[in-house]
Amino acid sequence: MMKKYMFALLIVAAIGNIKTVQAQKAAYETSVDGVKVIVQPSGNDIVEIQTIIKGGVQNYTAEKMGIESMAMNALTECGTVKHDKNAFKDILDKVSATVYGYSNKNYSVVRMNCIKSDLDVVWPLYVEAMTQPRFDAKEFARIKTDAITQLKSLDSRPDNAIDKFADKVAFVNRDYAKDPMGTVDILTKLTPEETKAYYSSIFTKSRLLIVVVADLDQATIEAKVKAMLDGVKKGPAFTFKKASFKVYKNSINVEQRDLATNYVEGITSGPIPGTEDFDAFNVAMRIFANRHFLDVRTNNGLSYAPQAWFSVGQTSTARFSVSTTQPDKYIAVFDKLVDKVKTEGFKPEEVANMKVTYLTGFYYKNETNSAQASSIASNEVLFDNWKRSLTLVDDVKKLTVEQVNNAFKTYINNIVWVYQGDPKKVNQILYINGTLNKGENGVSH
């Protein structure tokens, strides 16, 4: 008992200390040539800069999935006008600096990390990568081959395959059905010329956001950003589109696969980032994940690693997954668990403990400059409020048990289920006519 008490005190102290450190130098935002620049003084000698290109899967058609991911990779892997790939990387290696790009479903990032004293060496390379990419044909062929090999490897992994199948089924005819990594067929046909043209079309001031986590004075930051943006097109006005996801009836899609076990995944509604019940639902899903694990694995031995989580983005959803030899028993346990939560609610001590656990994890994960920049970027793009990363403690502390319970009841209703494995092992009727189907018909926001 004393150990638990001491641990609780340490957690509370940690949150308080981290918050105090963050408050020493206030973050701020400025605008340079119409581009928002958010700056968080770091209190150390590391410089982390992230240039965000908003849109993600919103930017391209399903026939061009993977083109943005390839473009981001090519920025540094295919050289620049001034430096070929090897020369570019040699300079970075000499000062142990990092410059690279990547993409996800909501936005792309071009990241730079170096020691403050090396900024004048690394910054020009960072600017070159974004404003003067070479898209060398030979290097592009190399990274395309690597991307295709990675895709094939991922597709052979059951955990990844069920995730992709779930996205494809649940988000049919929606942007979120698109996979940023693309497909083998699409990537095979991509050319460096087409990919470069696509990159030029999205690298516009109207889509950009720049996040700086470093101890640099404002004048220096603004001067460097202004020089970088010189020559960058303004581009048409851009609106980041967030969409709710509603499930009006339970369903299950079954795909036969020769696997050692069977894989099940469910997707249902979740609050849009920035809505009033977002934080409450986030806490609710974390508590439910613990209960789900306890009931499915510990109490019933139905799966080695059952999961439940809140997937946040342009379209936010609650998701549940298991690998099991007994899918029919799983859905019975799942339905009973959800019914119990909806009827009895979460316990006050569960909510109190999860609030502390969530906040502690959030701040421990944001100790590095890179993590802080990523958090600020995510909150600005998804929530239209970068300051959320600074106010989360107070927001979560205010949550009541009633708010957490109501959020769970509101969004956990009908579910889109997908299944990969032996079709003979699953009774689809149990997933379609489960207990969640009683008296529920979708979600309204």
Side-chain angles (χ1 to χ4, degrees):
M1 187 71 177
M2 178 60 71
K3 286 183 179 179
K4 289 184 178 179
Y5 176 72
M6 290 300 294
F7 181 65
L9 287 180
L10 287 170
I11 289 175
V12 173
I15 292 176
N17 287 339
I18 293 169
K19 190 176 178 185
T20 302
V21 170
Q22 284 198 336
Q24 287 176 354
K25 289 186 179 181
Y28 64 90
E29 68 176 72
T30 183
S31 180
V32 180
D33 287 351
V35 175
K36 181 180 284 190
V37 180
I38 303 168
V39 182
Q40 170 67 65
S42 62
N44 58 45
D45 289 330
I46 303 299
V47 175
E48 172 77 23
I49 299 176
Q50 295 186 9
T51 297
I52 312 300
I53 304 174
K54 301 175 187 176
V57 293
Q58 182 182 331
N59 291 341
Y60 45 82
T61 64
E63 292 72 28
K64 294 299 177 184
M65 293 188 304
I67 192 170
E68 189 162 326
S69 177
M70 285 294 295
M72 292 303 110
N73 194 19
L75 296 182
T76 55
E77 288 294 325
C78 295
T80 68
V81 171
K82 295 181 179 179
H83 298 87
D84 64 25
K85 183 257 298 184
N86 291 332
F88 186 93
K89 293 201 167 187
D90 284 346
I91 298 172
L92 291 176
D93 288 345
K94 287 178 182 178
V95 293
S96 299
T98 302
V99 175
Y100 65 87
Y102 63 91
S103 64
N104 58 44
K105 286 200 172 191
N106 305 296
Y107 51 86
S108 287
V109 181
V110 187
R111 177 177 173 244
M112 187 201 91
N113 183 280
C114 71
I115 298 172
K116 186 176 179 179
S117 58
D118 296 324
L119 180 61
D120 288 339
V121 174
V122 181
W123 176 259
L125 295 177
Y126 184 61
V127 173
E128 278 180 37
M130 290 185 288
T131 62
Q132 302 177 58
R134 184 182 297 193
F135 282 86
D136 177 79
K138 182 179 178 181
E139 297 293 356
F140 188 84
R142 174 183 60 83
I143 65 170
K144 184 164 73 170
T145 298
D146 290 345
I148 290 172
T149 300
Q150 184 181 13
L151 267 179
K152 290 179 178 178
S153 174
L154 289 172
D155 286 344
S156 69
R157 300 176 190 174
D159 287 336
N160 184 73
I162 193 70
D163 285 344
K164 292 179 72 170
F165 186 36
D167 283 355
K168 180 181 177 181
V169 171
F171 304 130
V172 62
N173 297 323
R174 287 169 168 259
D175 280 336
Y176 243 50
K178 302 170 190 171
D179 182 354
M181 293 185 69
T183 67
V184 171
D185 287 343
I186 294 173
L187 295 190
T188 300
K189 297 172 185 175
L190 279 184
T191 66
E193 293 80 12
E194 179 185 14
T195 308
K196 183 176 183 179
Y198 170 80
Y199 172 72
S200 297
S201 74
I202 63 168
F203 189 68
T204 61
K205 293 176 183 176
S206 59
R207 292 175 186 265
L208 296 184
L209 164 71
I210 298 173
V211 179
V212 179
V213 179
D215 272 353
L216 298 172
D217 63 81
Q218 185 171 345
T220 298
I221 293 171
E222 291 180 346
K224 286 185 177 297
V225 171
K226 185 174 180 60
M228 181 188 83
L229 294 174
D230 185 36
V232 176
K233 297 176 294 185
K234 181 179 179 181
F238 176 77
T239 302
F240 184 77
K241 299 175 183 176
K242 292 185 279 189
S244 61
F245 177 71
K246 302 177 183 179
V247 181
Y248 292 99
K249 62 180 181 180
N250 290 326
S251 65
I252 183 169
N253 279 259
V254 174
E255 186 176 82
Q256 195 279 328
R257 279 207 174 197
D258 294 326
L259 302 169
T261 186
N262 307 290
Y263 289 78
V264 182
E265 186 159 325
I267 300 182
T268 191
S269 309
I272 296 173
T275 51
E276 187 176 356
D277 48 8
F278 182 91
D279 289 331
F281 187 74
N282 204 342
V283 171
M285 279 302 296
R286 288 166 185 269
I287 301 172
F288 182 79
N290 289 345
R291 287 197 179 191
H292 183 254
F293 185 92
L294 182 65
D295 261 17
V296 175
R297 177 179 171 174
T298 308
N299 295 342
N300 290 281
L302 296 175
S303 179
Y304 177 74
Q307 298 181 68
W309 70 100
F310 182 26
S311 179
V312 180
Q314 289 176 333
T315 300
S316 296
T317 56
R319 302 178 78 131
F320 320 93
S321 74
V322 293
S323 57
T324 180
T325 58
Q326 304 177 79
D328 292 350
K329 286 187 178 181
Y330 167 69
I331 192 61
V333 170
F334 178 87
D335 281 347
K336 185 177 179 180
L337 174 60
V338 172
D339 279 348
K340 182 176 181 179
V341 173
K342 286 195 167 189
T343 302
E344 301 175 8
F346 296 115
K347 297 176 182 178
E349 58 267 29
E350 283 182 299
V351 175
N353 290 340
M354 185 52 68
K355 282 160 57 171
V356 173
T357 301
Y358 170 41
L359 292 174
T360 304
F362 174 80
Y363 280 110
Y364 280 173
K365 285 190 295 186
N366 281 279
E367 286 184 319
T368 66
N369 292 27
S370 175
Q372 288 176 38
S374 296
S375 177
I376 289 171
S378 177
N379 279 292
E380 177 62 21
V381 175
L382 298 179
F383 294 82
D384 304 310
N385 176 22
W386 62 268
K387 294 180 181 178
R388 178 178 177 272
S389 61
L390 307 177
T391 63
L392 190 64
V393 166
D394 292 334
D395 295 339
V396 172
K397 279 182 178 178
K398 294 174 185 176
L399 292 176
T400 65
V401 176
E402 183 181 16
Q403 287 175 312
V404 174
N405 285 329
N406 286 343
F408 188 85
K409 291 177 184 178
T410 298
Y411 294 99
I412 305 301
N413 295 304
N414 297 301
I415 297 175
V416 175
W417 292 101
V418 295
Y419 175 96
Q420 290 179 326
D422 184 354
K424 296 176 183 177
K425 295 287 182 68
V426 62
N427 183 347
Q428 298 184 36
I429 297 299
L430 296 178
Y431 285 80
I432 295 171
N433 294 332
T435 56
L436 292 181
N437 208 35
K438 298 175 181 178
E440 300 289 356
N441 191 32
V443 173
S444 60
H445 291 210

